[in-house]
Amino acid sequence: MADIIKLLPDSVANQIAAGEVIQRPASVVKELMENAIDAGADEIRLIVKDAGRTLIQVIDNGCGMSETDARLCFERHATSKINAAKDLFSIHTMGFRGEALASICAIAHVELKTRRNIDELGTLIVNEGTHIKSQEPCQCEKGTSFSVKNLFFNVPARRNFLKSDQIELRHIDDEFLRLAIAHPHVNFTFFHNNKETYHLQKESLKKRLVACFGESYNQRLVPLEHKSELVNITGFISKPEFARKTRGEQYFFTNNRFMKHAYLNHAVFSAFENIIKPDSFPSFFIFIQINPEQIDINIHPTKTEIKFQDERLMYSYLHATVKKALGVHNVMPSIDFDKSKEFDFTPLGKDAQIKPPTVKVNTSYNPFEKNSPAGYSSPSHLKTDAKQWKTLYEEILHKSDSEPEQTLLLPKEEEIERKEADFSLTANQARLKFLQIQDKYILTQIKSGLLFVDQQAAHERILFEKFLIFFNNKKAVSQQLLFPQVIELSPADAELTNELLKEIRVLGFQIEHIGKNNFNINGMPTDVKNEDVKIVIEKMLESYKGHLLSSKFNKNENIAASLAKNLSVKSGNMLHNEEMNDIIDRLFACEIPYVNPTGKPTFIILPLEELELKFLNKKI
């Protein structure tokens, strides 16, 4: 029998490696910018076209490479940072594996220009799919320029799996910000389709955060600091009052390398416990400096996951540091005691006579006697009239057939017409009463049993279909603001808002871009009640970006679903009978009343037969 095991060609092996290291255009941005930082650059330019599909170019003023190094850098496992296996546990640089450039070249057209300060001429290398097409001297600036064109040109399946430009650009923006925040001593510039998105000058960490996320962060941030022999923790956390409904900006850096760590995330969240609402999230930018021998960063191809030797100790340090910062800067919540009228009194005069209180005791009272002495009676709210109980049970068990079915306990009746027979309590009309459970579910009686409605999911469906009608009619009702508001967004959110400006206006927002990252708001949709305009827009953008990962929505549906999610009545809001009636009435007038825009059920029905079986303690 012939041998069947064989070695893969280098070109195929490189493409397999590229699949682990280069997942999307943002992966190329990350690897090239990390190399630029390792080269000692203090000025880095990122140029992107078509969200990285057409071009990704990184230009730095770092140390550059010799002609020999320029040729070797494209080989697999070629690195200037690792000499022995033990070096893997003492990493002080960003890139170190020597896989990135070889992986990039395997799936793209790459052009390299580089020159050292001591050289008169630089080196130009053109590489296409692991094949070096040319190498020659050239005139170029000190430093290195990498141009990556036609990403995944020879792996069409991978190219087809890329998401929309909006999603891919979002990932690039994330990678850019992670590196820009971690290295405030470096100038960063980011261009997309010849438009400048970020221009960040050398500055302090706080100023860098303000430049990245907007002037409002100047007032939001609280510094934190802890120094010990094991670890140094520095950075900023947001004040509790600026906690957001979405996860927002949450950054961990270990030795200036961005990382994801759910366990340490919990340490921060637990420090904010009972300070912010349970469904809110603080922003944080936390830097951990630790001996590289105490961590392992070689556990994932993207190097975003880190393993600490003693994670419990790190948890304790971080939790205590955040708690201390909140306390030192007086951002812990103060207790506001409502003054009761019982404590209102007029101060006594100097010569006032104070009479001690007297207590009257009935010494003849015997609790075991059937007839208590005069003067004793049980509290009125505990009294039970046997006739009342009997009447109540008879009313439940022997309802007249001529009366329409209705629930008890709520005093007011509402009339509502039902289209579906199952939801009609009589032939055409029904008088409904509603019960709100845990300020979350609406309960009412229907012909076949009990109807439970999730108030938030139902309202999301109602608003979603309403906004889609606005899109179809190209017109919505808007309410003028008494005082126009100017809002400032982060550069990324400002760019996204500009892209969605036409659609947002259709829904009733009277909004204008007035320069840089600022927008003027003159009007809002009528569904916005007592909401801060900036919070509404920020939440809508966060939801929109979250929905981009799903392919179930087109652009208009995404905007409608995002706005509906944030304007819907939330769990925990107490509703009046009229409001519950309105939600149910409008829900069953929807085209698809059964689920909210993301597929969550809006209601369930508990059949009467099932309820009876539960009381009989029988299996259904």
Side-chain angles (χ1 to χ4, degrees):
M1 183 175 177
D3 297 332
I4 60 174
I5 296 177
K6 56 186 176 182
L7 293 174
L8 288 173
D10 287 343
S11 59
V12 178
N14 285 340
Q15 286 190 14
I16 294 172
E20 296 179 348
V21 180
I22 309 302
Q23 301 170 349
R24 57 188 350 131
S27 306
V28 177
V29 171
K30 175 181 183 292
E31 298 292 348
L32 295 184
M33 290 185 66
E34 285 182 350
N35 284 344
I37 290 169
D38 285 343
D42 63 0
E43 185 163 341
I44 299 174
R45 282 180 288 165
L46 171 63
I47 301 170
V48 174
K49 290 186 178 179
D50 301 325
R53 285 178 169 85
T54 305
L55 172 68
I56 298 171
Q57 185 176 12
V58 174
I59 305 170
D60 70 67
N61 65 346
C63 63
M65 289 183 282
S66 67
E67 182 180 357
T68 303
D69 288 345
R71 181 71 177 245
L72 283 175
C73 74
F74 293 110
E75 299 295 329
R76 285 198 72 192
H77 305 306
T79 178
S80 62
K81 301 153 188 175
I82 300 294
N83 295 312
K86 65 179 182 179
D87 294 338
L88 288 172
F89 300 97
S90 185
I91 300 297
H92 296 272
T93 56
M94 302 298 292
F96 58 88
R97 287 187 176 133
E99 294 177 355
L101 295 180
S103 298
I104 293 170
C105 287
I107 52 175
H109 298 154
V110 179
E111 180 183 282
L112 164 64
K113 290 182 180 180
T114 184
R115 181 176 73 84
R116 298 181 299 179
N117 195 37
I118 60 175
D119 298 328
E120 292 185 4
L121 292 176
T123 302
L124 168 63
I125 295 179
V126 178
N127 196 316
E128 294 182 5
T130 70
H131 301 294
I132 294 180
K133 295 295 184 182
S134 64
Q135 177 176 343
E136 58 188 32
C138 71
Q139 289 283 353
C140 62
E141 296 291 328
K142 168 191 172 280
T144 302
S145 170
F146 272 102
S147 297
V148 179
K149 304 174 183 177
N150 304 321
L151 191 64
F152 300 123
F153 80 99
N154 55 353
V155 193
R158 292 287 304 280
R159 191 176 181 91
N160 291 337
F161 272 95
L162 291 178
K163 303 295 184 180
S164 67
D165 281 3
Q166 283 184 338
I167 297 177
E168 297 302 336
L169 187 60
R170 172 71 178 174
H171 285 287
I172 291 173
D173 189 79
D174 287 342
E175 293 293 351
F176 177 86
L177 287 176
R178 290 167 183 173
L179 288 162
I181 293 169
H183 301 88
H185 59 282
V186 177
N187 292 332
F188 287 93
T189 312
F190 179 13
F191 291 88
H192 179 244
N193 290 342
N194 300 317
K195 180 183 177 182
E196 186 180 89
T197 303
Y198 291 94
H199 186 81
L200 307 175
Q201 300 288 343
K202 296 179 184 178
E203 50 213 342
S204 66
L205 175 59
K206 185 174 183 179
K207 289 183 178 179
R208 173 58 56 89
L209 295 175
V210 170
C212 289
F213 301 107
E215 286 293 332
S216 62
Y217 275 73
N218 211 14
Q219 307 299 324
R220 294 186 182 191
L221 300 177
V222 173
L224 71 163
E225 184 175 8
H226 166 83
K227 291 186 178 181
S228 67
E229 293 182 0
L230 176 66
V231 63
N232 291 340
I233 300 174
T234 57
F236 293 90
I237 54 175
S238 64
K239 295 178 181 178
E241 61 264 33
F242 293 105
R244 300 168 63 175
K245 294 291 184 182
T246 54
R247 290 194 173 269
E249 292 75 40
Q250 297 174 358
Y251 293 85
F252 272 122
F253 300 91
T254 300
N255 296 346
N256 288 340
R257 181 190 300 277
F258 174 80
M259 71 163 185
K260 297 176 182 178
H261 206 293
Y263 189 52
L264 294 188
N265 266 41
H266 187 271
V268 177
F269 295 155
S270 63
F272 277 87
E273 194 173 9
N274 300 324
I275 302 177
I276 61 177
K277 293 180 180 179
D279 57 346
S280 299
F281 303 93
S283 297
F284 57 80
F285 311 87
I286 298 176
F287 289 76
I288 298 172
Q289 296 295 328
I290 191 170
N291 187 335
E293 295 180 359
Q294 301 293 318
I295 58 175
D296 183 5
I297 59 176
N298 198 34
I299 60 175
H300 193 274
T302 60
K303 297 170 288 188
T304 56
E305 296 180 14
I306 292 179
K307 181 73 175 175
F308 292 88
Q309 278 191 5
D310 194 337
E311 293 193 337
R312 289 189 177 183
L313 187 60
M314 288 301 305
Y315 184 103
S316 300
Y317 274 130
L318 184 58
H319 182 271
T321 302
V322 175
K323 274 284 191 183
K324 178 183 176 183
L326 292 171
V328 167
H329 295 277
N330 298 318
V331 293
M332 297 291 279
S334 58
I335 301 174
D336 183 18
F337 294 101
D338 292 330
K339 189 175 71 170
S340 175
K341 292 182 179 180
E342 285 80 0
F343 290 95
D344 290 339
F345 62 91
T346 304
L348 295 174
K350 212 176 199 182
D351 302 325
Q353 294 182 353
I354 300 175
K355 295 181 179 180
T358 58
V359 178
K360 293 182 180 180
V361 179
N362 188 344
T363 56
S364 63
Y365 169 64
N366 185 346
F368 298 101
E369 289 182 359
K370 290 184 178 180
N371 298 319
S372 300
Y376 171 80
S377 64
S378 60
S380 59
H381 69 277
L382 295 179
K383 288 183 179 179
T384 303
D385 189 333
K387 291 183 179 180
Q388 290 180 354
W389 282 111
K390 184 178 179 182
T391 303
L392 178 61
Y393 279 106
E394 286 178 349
E395 191 173 340
I396 295 173
L397 298 174
H398 305 291
K399 264 194 302 190
S400 171
D401 292 337
S402 61
E403 291 180 355
E405 292 184 294
Q406 59 185 19
T407 56
L408 300 174
L409 304 179
L410 292 178
K412 191 172 181 180
E413 298 179 349
E414 299 290 336
E415 286 199 357
I416 184 168
E417 186 176 351
R418 288 281 166 254
K419 297 179 181 178
E420 291 113 358
D422 187 51
F423 293 99
S424 63
L425 308 187
T426 63
N428 295 314
Q429 298 284 332
R431 289 184 296 169
L432 293 178
K433 293 179 181 179
F434 305 97
L435 180 65
Q436 191 181 21
I437 303 174
Q438 297 290 325
D439 292 342
K440 185 175 184 180
Y441 302 107
I442 301 171
L443 170 64
T444 189
Q445 181 177 323
I446 60 175
K447 187 175 182 180
S448 61
L450 294 176
L451 173 71
F452 294 84
V453 177
D454 184 318
Q455 64 189 43
Q456 181 172 343
H459 200 206
E460 282 184 33
R461 166 53 63 178
I462 293 165
L463 293 177
F464 176 69
E465 293 199 5
K466 177 180 179 179
F467 295 147
L468 289 183
I469 292 173
F470 289 161
F471 277 126
N472 292 333
N473 298 336
K474 303 295 182 184
K475 186 178 181 182
V477 180
S478 180
Q479 56 185 354
Q480 285 289 124
L481 295 180
L482 186 60
F483 301 103
Q485 296 187 33
V486 176
I487 64 171
E488 182 188 27
L489 302 173
S490 68
D493 283 349
E495 184 174 355
L496 179 58
T497 303
N498 275 323
E499 293 177 9
L500 304 178
L501 214 51
K502 180 180 177 182
E503 290 79 8
I504 292 175
R505 286 170 179 160
V506 170
L507 294 182
F509 287 93
Q510 296 179 17
I511 180 171
E512 297 289 340
H513 185 209
I514 57 176
K516 204 174 180 181
N517 303 320
N518 297 322
F519 294 83
N520 190 49
I521 311 292
N522 291 304
M524 296 282 284
T526 54
D527 292 280
V528 179
K529 306 293 184 184
N530 301 321
E531 292 273 2
D532 185 287
V533 60
K534 182 176 181 181
I535 293 176
V536 170
I537 291 177
E538 282 184 344
K539 288 180 180 178
M540 181 184 67
L541 293 175
E542 286 298 323
S543 298
Y544 181 88
K545 288 180 285 189
H547 291 155
L548 283 174
L549 301 177
S550 170
S551 58
K552 67 170 64 175
F553 294 125
N554 60 34
K555 189 176 183 180
N556 286 356
E557 290 171 343
N558 191 347
I559 297 172
S562 301
L563 191 58
K565 176 182 178 180
N566 293 298
L567 294 184
S568 60
V569 60
K570 302 297 185 292
S571 298
N573 285 9
M574 187 174 67
L575 302 177
H576 296 296
N577 201 62
E578 294 85 354
E579 293 171 315
M580 292 186 278
N581 182 22
D582 182 61
I583 285 178
I584 292 181
D585 196 21
R586 292 166 66 191
L587 174 65
F588 290 105
C590 290
E591 289 187 12
I592 307 175
Y594 314 105
V595 293
N596 78 344
T598 58
K600 179 182 179 181
T602 56
F603 67 89
I604 61 171
I605 296 174
L606 180 62
L608 189 59
E609 297 82 5
E610 185 176 327
L611 190 61
E612 289 174 345
L613 287 174
K614 286 184 179 293
F615 278 107
L616 292 173
N617 200 23
K618 292 184 179 181
K619 291 185 178 180
I620 299 169

